[in-house]
Amino acid sequence: MLTVGVDLAAEAGRTAVAWLDWSANGARVRDLKIRADDDLIVEAIKSAGKTGIDCPLGWPDKFVDFIVAHRTGHVEVPGGVAGIDWRRDLALRVTDRVTSELALRPLSVSADRIGHTAMRCAALLAELARQGQPVDRSGAGVVVEVYPAASLKCWGLPHNGYKRSANRGALAQLVDELQEAAPWLDLGVHEQICRMSDDAIDAVIAALIARAASQGLVTAPAPDQVHSARSEGWIALPTGPLSELGPTG
């Protein structure tokens, strides 16, 4: 099986894509590209059995309703609800609340700068649909939404402080601990770029989560959350140790 991980940014300069080949012996990084453009991402997704994208796949339903109502001048604030509570409902998706309880609080796609990246992601999903591969945002299809930092925390690995060039030491430590926890993961000639680029290692982690999702080893929306997940997106978090993905898992 081939899984792909996409560490998506608003522009190609901070976007990375990793391809992982899976066999009875474990996983091998077949390729790893940084500064990935839209065409490369679409082709990578089309080539994979499952792809993990580190980006919200949608916006909160209540936020979308709010924007539509605001455009027509018909915004209604719920009675008896404090302003901060009302705004929180607009800022957080169902999956954001679940992920906050289980691991880490994601950035708000409607209130933080990650919204720029989500706009690019929406265009990518539209292009996939145009090419005959519509995406189920709940993660049930070929694409699943991932959150590498939260997954690292679930796996008991370093999950913060490794971003940006000033933290190369922490990034190297993450790579060391990842390889120790997953000796069946072969970074090969791509190990050095993983030690130099947090985008690259996040893409590898996204591909690992894609594998977990393909094996049913991630959180899934409850029956009453499926409707929201299909429009807002759903962050898949590992439900077991990283070792489950290896040859003895």
Side-chain angles (χ1 to χ4, degrees):
M1 181 183 185
L2 175 69
T3 64
V4 161
V6 180
D7 181 50
L8 194 67
E11 302 294 338
R14 288 301 309 272
T15 298
V17 179
W19 291 256
L20 261 63
D21 268 327
W22 294 85
S23 69
N25 297 320
R28 176 182 64 89
V29 178
R30 176 197 293 184
D31 204 356
L32 204 166
K33 300 291 186 183
I34 56 175
R35 295 184 287 276
D37 62 22
D38 290 359
D39 290 342
L40 186 151
I41 295 169
V42 169
E43 290 306 311
I45 294 172
K46 289 167 59 179
S47 73
K50 193 85 170 182
T51 295
I53 300 182
D54 179 15
C55 179
L57 301 188
W59 281 261
D61 288 340
K62 290 182 179 180
F63 174 73
V64 175
D65 293 343
F66 166 74
I67 293 298
V68 172
H70 175 67
R71 181 176 183 177
T72 59
H74 293 96
V75 170
E76 294 184 7
V77 180
V81 176
I84 189 171
D85 295 328
W86 176 59
R87 292 193 301 273
R88 186 178 291 113
D89 279 345
L90 302 181
L92 299 178
R93 302 173 295 163
V94 171
T95 190
D96 295 332
R97 295 178 181 276
V98 173
T99 302
S100 296
E101 294 173 358
L102 296 176
L104 299 173
R105 180 170 176 171
L107 293 174
S108 166
V109 65
S110 55
D112 286 309
R113 291 182 64 184
I114 198 172
H116 290 273
T117 307
M119 293 174 194
R120 184 185 182 194
C121 187
L124 291 170
L125 300 188
E127 179 60 22
L128 285 166
R130 190 188 70 79
Q131 295 189 27
Q133 288 201 356
V135 170
D136 183 336
R137 297 178 211 165
S138 72
V142 296
V143 168
V144 63
E145 181 179 337
V146 302
Y147 182 6
S151 291
L152 287 171
K153 183 177 182 181
C154 291
W155 283 330
L157 293 170
H159 62 277
N160 56 26
Y162 66 92
K163 302 285 188 177
R164 294 182 291 276
S165 58
N167 297 311
R168 290 274 170 78
L171 177 59
Q173 181 182 352
L174 168 59
V175 174
D176 288 341
E177 294 197 27
L178 176 63
Q179 291 182 307
E180 182 178 349
W184 41 263
L185 173 62
D186 180 11
L187 297 178
V189 297
H190 309 288
E191 180 176 340
Q192 188 58 31
I193 187 61
C194 288
R195 292 180 178 275
M196 298 295 292
S197 167
D198 55 88
D199 302 325
I201 195 63
D202 275 353
V204 171
I205 294 162
L208 289 171
I209 305 165
R211 172 67 172 184
S214 73
Q215 302 297 302
L217 302 174
V218 295
T219 54
D224 63 340
Q225 298 169 333
V226 171
H227 178 77
S228 294
R230 286 176 176 163
S231 59
E232 297 182 340
W234 182 266
I235 298 170
L237 294 175
T239 54
L242 182 58
S243 59
E244 286 189 327
L245 304 185
T248 59

